[in-house]
Amino acid sequence: MAHSTFTVGDYLAERLVQIGIRHHFVVPGDYNLILLDKLGGKLDLFGKPALIEVGCANELNCSMAAEGYARANGAAACVVTYSVGALSAFNGTGSAYAENLPLILISGSPNTNDAGQFHLLHHTLGTSDFTYQLEMAKKITCCAVAVDRASDAPRLIDRAIRTALLSKKPAYIEIPTNLAGAPCMRPGPISAVIDPAPTNPAVLAATIGEAASYLHGKLKPAILVGPKLRRAGPEAEEALLKLAEAMGCTVAVQPAAKGMFPEEHPQYTGVFWGQVSTLAADSIINWADAILCVGTVFTDYSTVGWTAMPSVPLMVAEIDHVTFPGSTFGRVRLCDFLTGLAKLVDRNDATMVEYHRLRPDPVLIHVAEESDALSRKEIQRQVQPLLAADTTLFVETGDSWFNGIQMKLPKGADFEIEMMWGHIGWSIPASFGYALSKPDRRIITMVGDGSFQVTAQEVSQMVRWRLPIIMFLINNKGYTIEVEIHDGLYNRIKNWDYAALVQAFNSTDGNAASCRVETGGELAKAIEMAKEHKGGPTLIECVIHQDDCSRELITWGHYVAAANARPPVQK
């Protein structure tokens, strides 16, 4: 039996499978149809699809679903058509860049003959220059390549994928419609693509020595954990835990790093977020005279409008380098640095001793009557018991950030937030993509009504794939986070019947459940229904008063507004 011709599309499919991708998110268009055939035709050893195609409602949702998949899987692929597709998918690609996720954005493109013949084509700007999309992609990826000849495909595809994996950033691959099925050589060993860049031993020794010098003589050391820790891999999280226990000091996390250090650990001291910190984390971080920052990201949002930067010189350990006051060391993998430092540090629990004096008493939680009007606090109280070791909590941009940050994560529970990019609507497609990679986890999404309206269509894909995601939609009829930063009529939105919309997604073959609740008793019954519901998502529309938002959001919003309003610096 003759073997079929191995093609450019086959090469890409094989490499995606080899880096651990099992689902690819797509929106079809005539420039990528042959490529989709090739990707979907990739079979495993048992004759089953090695890459499962996941169709999405639009390219924005497609890219955000892939971003969520990358959070769970370590890498993801999003396949769209030229220009009208890719330019929309650039939004989720920007999120992947900001959030340090290796998302491979793959775009079909015009036939290679058209540019030279000066043809004007559909889905373009109406000129014969088709390079603009590649040039745009270079600004939002770590590597952007366009395959112009089939013979160049292996080199370019491997370069883009390897750069994405090493940098923890998205990459872009453009394949013309007439090259996806063109003959291509087969790939070599995948180790050439996936092997990590090793730590330089001499640099590692020097870095650890510098770190020991930084800590020597300091009386009050503390550790602050940031969101890049998880991007460095589970071995980095394990190494941090060992270092923390060796040092014996307090460990706080930034809001986007919630869940990256176990909250039941005796050294955990809450979320450091300036004036809206939890468990008095700000008090102990501000008291420390040495702070080891691990994977931290300091932005206007994470520092409450630049008012909560640590006040002492920092040692900052990144994914592949370490910076000290006055010096920096490259080619040092985070896990190697943390592991080596743990063997040299002296134990100093001064911050733990002080923290026992500062730690706030447990808050007395009010239990609403069943007939009481639903409130934000009652929603938070009733959602808390749902969090278990197999739970991942997604919190949408807005007051859901602050409500989620207040939740207590049991051992094993995960927390997902998009704090750097901050795109409203992210949580719906991202939780969908995440759930496809981790079907054994219970996914809970807290989302506002304004955010939901941006990407609501992707609930239909949850229905299609029968994913039991539980969504708590907070209906307060507006963009509450924007109200607290800068109010105006533009923050009021048209109300929807959200529960009814989900039933429309069911059509004749779906199994989604939905309901609208306005009291604490109704919410309790809805949660019991959601826990038992299988074979599809559940949306609980929680109606609360328009002005019912957290004190933390109000405080944070005021400081961020002040930062936004700073006058220009006079030169």
Side-chain angles (χ1 to χ4, degrees), residues 244-260:
E245 292 176 343
M247 292 180 65
C249 64
T250 58
V251 181
V253 302
Q254 292 188 301
K258 183 176 172 67
M260 297 184 191

mmCIF file of all heavy atoms in Angstrom, residues 244-260:
data_model
loop_
_atom_site.group_PDB
_atom_site.id
_atom_site.type_symbol
_atom_site.label_atom_id
_atom_site.label_comp_id
_atom_site.label_asym_id
_atom_site.label_seq_id
_atom_site.Cartn_x
_atom_site.Cartn_y
_atom_site.Cartn_z
ATOM 1 N N ALA A 244 11.170 28.276 50.934
ATOM 2 C CA ALA A 244 10.418 28.972 51.976
ATOM 3 C C ALA A 244 10.567 28.264 53.318
ATOM 4 O O ALA A 244 10.765 28.908 54.359
ATOM 5 C CB ALA A 244 8.948 29.070 51.582
ATOM 6 N N GLU A 245 10.483 26.947 53.298
ATOM 7 C CA GLU A 245 10.597 26.194 54.548
ATOM 8 C C GLU A 245 12.017 26.253 55.098
ATOM 9 O O GLU A 245 12.217 26.238 56.319
ATOM 10 C CB GLU A 245 10.132 24.766 54.313
ATOM 11 C CG GLU A 245 8.619 24.692 54.034
ATOM 12 C CD GLU A 245 8.141 23.292 53.704
ATOM 13 O OE1 GLU A 245 8.994 22.431 53.378
ATOM 14 O OE2 GLU A 245 6.911 23.063 53.751
ATOM 15 N N ALA A 246 12.998 26.343 54.211
ATOM 16 C CA ALA A 246 14.371 26.480 54.680
ATOM 17 C C ALA A 246 14.607 27.849 55.306
ATOM 18 O O ALA A 246 15.317 27.972 56.312
ATOM 19 C CB ALA A 246 15.347 26.257 53.523
ATOM 20 N N MET A 247 13.992 28.889 54.740
ATOM 21 C CA MET A 247 14.173 30.241 55.268
ATOM 22 C C MET A 247 13.325 30.478 56.506
ATOM 23 O O MET A 247 13.714 31.230 57.401
ATOM 24 C CB MET A 247 13.825 31.271 54.195
ATOM 25 C CG MET A 247 14.795 31.310 53.026
ATOM 26 S SD MET A 247 14.350 32.538 51.757
ATOM 27 C CE MET A 247 14.529 34.081 52.673
ATOM 28 N N GLY A 248 12.140 29.866 56.552
ATOM 29 C CA GLY A 248 11.268 30.013 57.721
ATOM 30 C C GLY A 248 10.556 31.346 57.797
ATOM 31 O O GLY A 248 9.971 31.680 58.836
ATOM 32 N N CYS A 249 10.561 32.123 56.717
ATOM 33 C CA CYS A 249 9.980 33.473 56.742
ATOM 34 C C CYS A 249 8.558 33.470 56.204
ATOM 35 O O CYS A 249 8.033 32.452 55.755
ATOM 36 C CB CYS A 249 10.847 34.417 55.919
ATOM 37 S SG CYS A 249 10.905 33.988 54.163
ATOM 38 N N THR A 250 7.927 34.626 56.205
ATOM 39 C CA THR A 250 6.574 34.762 55.673
ATOM 40 C C THR A 250 6.602 34.679 54.144
ATOM 41 O O THR A 250 7.587 35.056 53.492
ATOM 42 C CB THR A 250 5.944 36.095 56.082
ATOM 43 O OG1 THR A 250 6.777 37.159 55.609
ATOM 44 C CG2 THR A 250 5.785 36.192 57.573
ATOM 45 N N VAL A 251 5.477 34.220 53.574
ATOM 46 C CA VAL A 251 5.324 34.144 52.123
ATOM 47 C C VAL A 251 3.978 34.774 51.765
ATOM 48 O O VAL A 251 2.923 34.279 52.166
ATOM 49 C CB VAL A 251 5.368 32.695 51.612
ATOM 50 C CG1 VAL A 251 5.238 32.674 50.081
ATOM 51 C CG2 VAL A 251 6.653 32.002 52.045
ATOM 52 N N ALA A 252 4.024 35.861 51.024
ATOM 53 C CA ALA A 252 2.812 36.492 50.495
ATOM 54 C C ALA A 252 2.796 36.315 48.987
ATOM 55 O O ALA A 252 3.840 36.057 48.367
ATOM 56 C CB ALA A 252 2.765 37.972 50.866
ATOM 57 N N VAL A 253 1.629 36.456 48.381
ATOM 58 C CA VAL A 253 1.514 36.320 46.930
ATOM 59 C C VAL A 253 0.880 37.578 46.346
ATOM 60 O O VAL A 253 0.100 38.263 47.007
ATOM 61 C CB VAL A 253 0.676 35.083 46.526
ATOM 62 C CG1 VAL A 253 1.283 33.808 47.091
ATOM 63 C CG2 VAL A 253 -0.778 35.219 46.965
ATOM 64 N N GLN A 254 1.225 37.885 45.109
ATOM 65 C CA GLN A 254 0.523 38.932 44.387
ATOM 66 C C GLN A 254 -0.844 38.405 43.961
ATOM 67 O O GLN A 254 -1.062 37.191 43.905
ATOM 68 C CB GLN A 254 1.337 39.365 43.164
ATOM 69 C CG GLN A 254 2.621 40.079 43.521
ATOM 70 C CD GLN A 254 3.315 40.659 42.299
ATOM 71 O OE1 GLN A 254 3.670 39.951 41.370
ATOM 72 N NE2 GLN A 254 3.517 41.986 42.302
ATOM 73 N N PRO A 255 -1.801 39.294 43.655
ATOM 74 C CA PRO A 255 -3.150 38.807 43.332
ATOM 75 C C PRO A 255 -3.188 37.826 42.170
ATOM 76 O O PRO A 255 -3.939 36.849 42.199
ATOM 77 C CB PRO A 255 -3.925 40.100 43.023
ATOM 78 C CG PRO A 255 -2.903 41.175 42.869
ATOM 79 C CD PRO A 255 -1.742 40.767 43.691
ATOM 80 N N ALA A 256 -2.365 38.040 41.142
ATOM 81 C CA ALA A 256 -2.366 37.129 39.994
ATOM 82 C C ALA A 256 -1.630 35.827 40.287
ATOM 83 O O ALA A 256 -1.612 34.922 39.444
ATOM 84 C CB ALA A 256 -1.749 37.810 38.775
ATOM 85 N N ALA A 257 -1.037 35.719 41.475
ATOM 86 C CA ALA A 257 -0.337 34.492 41.871
ATOM 87 C C ALA A 257 -1.095 33.723 42.951
ATOM 88 O O ALA A 257 -0.556 32.772 43.533
ATOM 89 C CB ALA A 257 1.068 34.822 42.365
ATOM 90 N N LYS A 258 -2.327 34.110 43.200
ATOM 91 C CA LYS A 258 -3.110 33.400 44.218
ATOM 92 C C LYS A 258 -3.173 31.915 43.858
ATOM 93 O O LYS A 258 -3.441 31.545 42.709
ATOM 94 C CB LYS A 258 -4.517 33.973 44.302
ATOM 95 C CG LYS A 258 -5.389 33.337 45.402
ATOM 96 C CD LYS A 258 -6.743 34.018 45.487
ATOM 97 C CE LYS A 258 -7.699 33.283 46.426
ATOM 98 N NZ LYS A 258 -7.253 33.349 47.847
ATOM 99 N N GLY A 259 -2.939 31.065 44.839
ATOM 100 C CA GLY A 259 -2.960 29.626 44.622
ATOM 101 C C GLY A 259 -1.614 29.030 44.271
ATOM 102 O O GLY A 259 -1.479 27.805 44.217
ATOM 103 N N MET A 260 -0.598 29.859 44.042
ATOM 104 C CA MET A 260 0.712 29.337 43.670
ATOM 105 C C MET A 260 1.580 29.001 44.868
ATOM 106 O O MET A 260 2.661 28.434 44.712
ATOM 107 C CB MET A 260 1.428 30.321 42.737
ATOM 108 C CG MET A 260 0.695 30.520 41.421
ATOM 109 S SD MET A 260 1.573 31.588 40.266
ATOM 110 C CE MET A 260 0.277 31.838 39.026
#
